[in-house]
Amino acid sequence: MPSVRTVLGLLAALAACGAVAFLGYCVYFDRKRRGDPAFRRRLRDKRRAQQRKAEGPGAQLWDPAKNEKLQELFLQEIRMGQLWLSRGECQLGVEHLSTALLVCGQPQQLLKVFKHTLPPQVFEMLLHKIPLICQQFEADMNEQEYLEDDRD
């Protein structure tokens, strides 16, 4: 009858051989998978899709360079709106204020400020302008997506 030490030694050797065989199996199929042209194509397509998603409409809010440009545009539109309103050109002032509202990060808070600072008739004009600005924005975004799809 074999001793316990011999049995344990054989079991350890068998386990080591099994581990080496498993690792060899993993390395072989990983190499085979990475060398497959279809795998490379799927991987490239997946990376492109992630990149497109990262460059999507919401991405501009997180890009600091674009965010600075949006802030500059916002401040410029607010100034222009105030300037036109001070000159008595309500229509042009509302145009600029609605554009500022569109690029603003917190439009509800800006509307509250406008409600307390603008004359009631100008605020009403601004409220009527919001749906038109939203439709124009959606049309511009759809056109931009269409042009990006044509490049591919």
Side-chain angles (χ1 to χ4, degrees), residues 93-110:
V94 167
E95 264 313 303
H96 287 284
L97 292 177
S98 62
T99 304
L101 191 62
L102 183 65
V103 297
C104 179
Q106 299 173 338
Q108 281 105 5
Q109 282 78 13
L110 185 60

Side-chain angles (χ1 to χ4, degrees), residues 14-44:
L14 185 62
C17 287
V20 168
F22 179 73
L23 287 175
Y25 177 81
C26 290
V27 168
Y28 169 75
F29 278 106
D30 187 54
R31 232 176 239 266
K32 187 175 178 181
R33 178 183 60 101
R34 288 178 185 246
D36 184 21
F39 171 73
R40 290 182 181 204
R41 185 176 51 252
R42 285 191 308 268
L43 188 61
R44 185 175 51 245

